Amino acid sequence: MSSNVSVNQTPSGQSYTVCKHPVLKALLTRLRDSNTSPSSFRALLNDSSRILAYEATTDLELQTAKIQTVHSECDGAVLKDNIGIVPIMRAGLGMEEAFLAMLPDAEVWHLGLYRDSKTDRAIEYYNKLPQGCGLDLAIVIDPMLATGKTAIAAVDILKEWGVRRIKFVSLLAAQQGIINLLDAHPDLALYVGDVDATLSPEGLIIPGLGDAGDRQFKTQRRG
């Protein structure tokens, strides 16, 4: 495990990993700043996601592969598992490029989910998962983990599809969202960039950084 992470526990004893990298902390400060432009926000989110991708993949298994160098044959290593990256749309799209840079041979499967603020339920609007799952590991990516409702729904969908090992990676999480997600899925490996203590009555992370999708795509409501 990297020295730039800490392993924390929920009140019920479920473990999750928080990245403590100083560069990530500096990037997150700029992401939180309401004066950061959409173009800068996208770039900062990509840079932050590269750090998270590194931390979330330090325990991937390897298998031996023989290669031919310029001078001789030698043993090398390749990733053992068939890995899928699963961005939760639309905000998760901003993390996709960074994770593909780390795992260029991974499959990418998008899920469209949002939390209905009136019913507090996760609504699924996009799912093109095929019949039969060929993944050994799915890495779900979403910049924000607030109430945990959409995260729980995404993991539910992947488990029903047949994925046995799942990691969830989020840039910023609310403490209650972490508790809700790990209570629902205690076998999940959770990685977050930082934790905020408070959720608003509307289910927003406080102090947070706003709606990550709106800030990426310049769709904030005016007035």
Side-chain angles (χ1 to χ4, degrees), residues 202-218:
E202 297 77 24
L204 304 176
I205 302 175
I206 305 297
L209 51 75
D211 185 296
D214 283 342
R215 295 200 61 196
Q216 287 179 73
F217 303 115
K218 201 177 181 181

Side-chain angles (χ1 to χ4, degrees), residues 128-183:
K128 296 293 185 181
L129 297 177
Q131 292 291 326
C133 172
L135 299 181
D136 300 305
L137 169 67
I139 303 177
V140 186
I141 51 177
D142 191 347
M144 310 291 284
L145 174 60
T147 66
K149 295 297 177 65
T150 57
I152 292 168
V155 177
D156 286 342
I157 290 168
L158 292 172
K159 285 185 174 181
E160 185 176 348
W161 187 36
V163 184
R164 294 186 178 182
R165 293 169 51 217
I166 302 174
K167 297 186 177 193
F168 195 100
V169 184
S170 187
L171 176 63
L172 183 61
Q175 189 67 59
Q176 189 59 51
I178 292 173
I179 293 169
N180 293 344
L181 177 56
L182 292 179
D183 280 351

Side-chain angles (χ1 to χ4, degrees), residues 18-142:
V18 181
C19 182
K20 298 293 187 180
H21 199 292
V23 173
L24 180 61
K25 299 307 177 187
L27 292 169
L28 182 56
T29 297
R30 295 171 64 192
L31 283 163
R32 289 184 187 271
D33 188 343
S34 61
N35 293 314
T36 297
S37 69
S39 60
S40 294
F41 190 95
R42 292 190 296 269
L44 291 164
L45 179 57
N46 180 69
D47 291 343
S48 300
S49 299
R50 286 178 181 269
I51 298 172
L52 289 171
Y54 172 82
E55 297 296 354
T57 55
T58 56
D59 62 348
L60 296 184
E61 294 185 28
L62 298 172
Q63 62 185 21
T64 302
K66 289 192 176 295
I67 61 168
Q68 181 68 45
T69 74
V70 174
H71 302 293
S72 67
E73 185 180 81
C74 73
D75 287 338
V78 295
L79 293 175
K80 180 179 180 180
D81 292 331
N82 186 31
I83 300 169
I85 301 167
V86 185
I88 298 180
M89 298 193 296
R90 63 182 169 156
L93 297 175
M95 302 176 70
E96 181 179 323
E97 180 182 345
F99 275 78
L100 271 176
M102 180 67 71
L103 301 166
D105 295 323
E107 299 178 15
V108 180
W109 299 101
H110 298 91
L111 291 177
L113 293 159
Y114 70 92
R115 183 181 65 87
D116 187 313
S117 59
K118 294 181 180 178
T119 64
D120 200 33
R121 294 176 58 191
I123 306 298
E124 178 184 329
Y125 66 90
Y126 184 89
N127 180 348
K128 296 293 185 181
L129 297 177
Q131 292 291 326
C133 172
L135 299 181
D136 300 305
L137 169 67
I139 303 177
V140 186
I141 51 177
D142 191 347

